[in-house]
Amino acid sequence: MSKVDWRKLQSLILDRIKQQPKDYPVKNLIPVADEVLNARAVLIEGVSKLLKVVPLKACRWCPEIHVGHIGHRIRTCRSYERGAKNVEHEWMEGSINDILIPVESFHLRNRFQTVIEHDEMLEYDRIPAIIELCIQAGAEIPEYLAKKTDNSFSENALTYNFSDNTRDKVRQVLVNEERSQFSSPLLEELSDLARRTLYAWETMRLGAQRLMHVYPVKVCQFCPEVHVGPIGHKVQRCSLYKKVLKEHKWKHANLDDLIPPRNVWHLRQQDAPPLLHKGRGYYGHAPAVVELCVQAGSGIPKKYICMMKIYGLRPPSNYLCFLCFVFLLCAYPVV
């Protein structure tokens, strides 16, 4: 059995740690980070325009949302403020933050810097976690770097310039209430906008997943706090305890922690609104962005067909249940 000189091995390990920053950012992933930023900009612009056409409903008491003109009547509201469980939702108008949930993290000055302590919390900016991931992957945002000294981040730094004709046609959609009254060029323009938005959503998620294989992302086990970096911070902001804030207990994050899909009930062609509680076993689900784009005229991606139960049966009506009951009585008469 050979003896190991731990002193020499220790020096090699320390040299490797010192040279580690030279390996980052990975050059092959810099285009991926730029693609994710561009897709995010197109996604935000597309969702904000589609929400002017397809209404979004949000529950007043719980985080439930619904894409459509009429909110569903499925009794899944479990708000503690209402003091009841499994009751119908009380709907109100939703916003873009209800679909694209903002997930923020601390912006690190250097990826290999020391751990952020609790006393240093106010010295670091809070920016969207997906942008922090792209910055660590090598993406450059001149608008953000120019405002870095002001300790602020402008959400308007990433925009996508659509044509003025598209903006005017989307406004014309608001005048009509039914899609059957729209002209065919307007429907094509709206469907094209939905397809680009859906493609941007899938591109952003796929690119972020590739980046997360190289650049680790942490999430707290007890709260939705996210940290982009090899080691989680020590800021005492964990909401596990209601009265006392503790340090986070970190674990490796997955894609849904960084980009929450926010699943909603899917309104199929064979279902008539509103969705009822008795048919909840027949209805499917879909991410809110996907449901928004599908209702705006985009095609359904193949990976969501089973989740959305496209070819599933429609829930039976009261009349069909009555016919089945009569048939059973005729087939098996009671003696």
Side-chain angles (χ1 to χ4, degrees):
M1 183 175 180
S2 60
K3 296 182 179 179
V4 179
D5 191 353
W6 294 104
R7 294 182 179 179
K8 293 183 179 180
L9 186 61
Q10 182 180 8
S11 61
L12 293 176
I13 294 175
L14 294 177
D15 293 340
R16 177 58 180 170
I17 294 176
K18 292 179 180 180
Q19 296 179 2
Q20 188 177 6
K22 299 180 180 179
D23 300 334
Y24 292 92
V26 180
K27 296 182 178 179
N28 294 335
L29 292 180
I30 294 179
V32 178
D34 295 333
E35 186 180 16
V36 170
L37 287 178
N38 294 332
R40 179 180 178 271
V42 176
L43 176 64
I44 294 175
E45 187 76 15
V47 170
S48 62
K49 290 180 178 296
L50 291 177
L51 286 179
K52 299 179 181 179
V53 183
V54 182
L56 175 68
K57 303 296 181 181
C59 182
R60 187 182 301 273
W61 306 104
C62 71
E64 181 83 8
I65 62 174
H66 180 75
V67 181
H69 294 272
I70 304 176
H72 65 76
R73 300 181 60 183
I74 302 175
R75 297 190 294 268
T76 54
C77 186
R78 301 179 179 180
S79 175
Y80 294 100
E81 297 181 2
R82 302 183 68 177
K85 294 182 179 180
N86 299 330
V87 296
E88 291 188 7
H89 299 275
E90 184 178 345
W91 299 109
M92 54 181 286
E93 296 297 327
S95 62
I96 188 174
N97 287 336
D98 295 323
I99 290 185
L100 302 177
I101 303 176
V103 179
E104 295 184 344
S105 66
F106 287 103
H107 173 55
L108 303 182
R109 300 166 185 168
N110 183 9
R111 186 173 182 272
F112 299 95
Q113 70 176 34
T114 57
V115 181
I116 301 177
E117 300 292 339
H118 181 72
D119 299 336
E120 303 173 348
M121 176 178 59
L122 300 179
E123 300 179 5
Y124 293 87
D125 299 334
R126 298 278 294 182
I127 66 174
I130 185 66
I131 293 183
E132 174 63 19
L133 178 63
C134 295
I135 291 176
Q136 293 189 18
E140 296 182 357
I141 308 178
E143 292 82 358
Y144 171 70
L145 296 177
K147 298 181 180 181
K148 186 174 181 181
T149 57
D150 298 336
N151 294 329
S152 61
F153 180 78
S154 176
E155 193 69 28
N156 298 326
L158 299 176
T159 57
Y160 184 83
N161 296 324
F162 289 91
S163 61
D164 295 336
N165 295 331
T166 303
R167 185 178 295 105
D168 295 337
K169 291 179 180 180
V170 171
R171 290 177 180 175
Q172 294 177 4
V173 175
L174 299 177
V175 179
N176 301 308
E177 296 180 357
E178 298 181 359
R179 292 177 58 90
S180 58
Q181 300 178 359
F182 301 162
S183 59
S184 56
L186 183 58
L187 286 176
E188 293 178 359
E189 193 73 25
L190 184 62
S191 300
D192 182 66
L193 176 63
R195 285 192 295 267
R196 284 183 291 177
T197 304
L198 183 58
Y199 180 77
W201 167 260
E202 297 295 334
T203 302
M204 184 183 69
R205 286 181 61 89
L206 181 61
Q209 190 173 17
R210 293 181 59 185
L211 295 178
M212 291 176 66
H213 288 307
V214 179
Y215 301 92
V217 180
K218 306 292 183 180
V219 65
C220 182
Q221 296 184 9
F222 307 110
C223 70
E225 177 72 13
V226 172
H227 180 77
V228 182
I231 302 176
H233 61 76
K234 294 185 178 181
V235 178
Q236 299 178 4
R237 297 182 58 180
C238 186
S239 58
L240 173 63
Y241 305 96
K242 296 182 180 180
K243 297 183 179 180
V244 181
L245 297 179
K246 298 291 185 179
E247 291 185 4
H248 299 279
K249 188 174 182 180
W250 300 106
K251 67 176 183 178
H252 289 285
N254 53 28
L255 183 61
D256 291 343
D257 297 323
L258 184 66
I259 308 175
R262 200 61 186 279
N263 294 331
V264 297
W265 294 95
H266 171 58
L267 181 62
R268 305 172 298 181
Q269 294 182 355
Q270 60 267 35
D271 299 326
L275 302 180
L276 302 178
H277 183 73
K278 63 181 181 180
R280 63 189 182 279
Y282 294 85
Y283 306 136
H285 293 82
V289 175
V290 178
E291 178 68 13
L292 179 68
C293 296
V294 169
Q295 292 194 21
S298 175
I300 301 176
K302 294 182 178 179
K303 65 178 182 179
Y304 296 112
I305 290 180
C306 294
M307 181 181 180
M308 301 170 72
K309 299 182 181 180
I310 299 299
Y311 305 107
L313 298 176
R314 60 179 302 179
S317 60
N318 296 332
Y319 179 71
L320 292 179
C321 294
F322 175 74
L323 292 180
C324 294
F325 179 72
V326 173
F327 175 77
L328 292 176
L329 289 179
C330 296
Y332 303 97
V334 178
V335 179

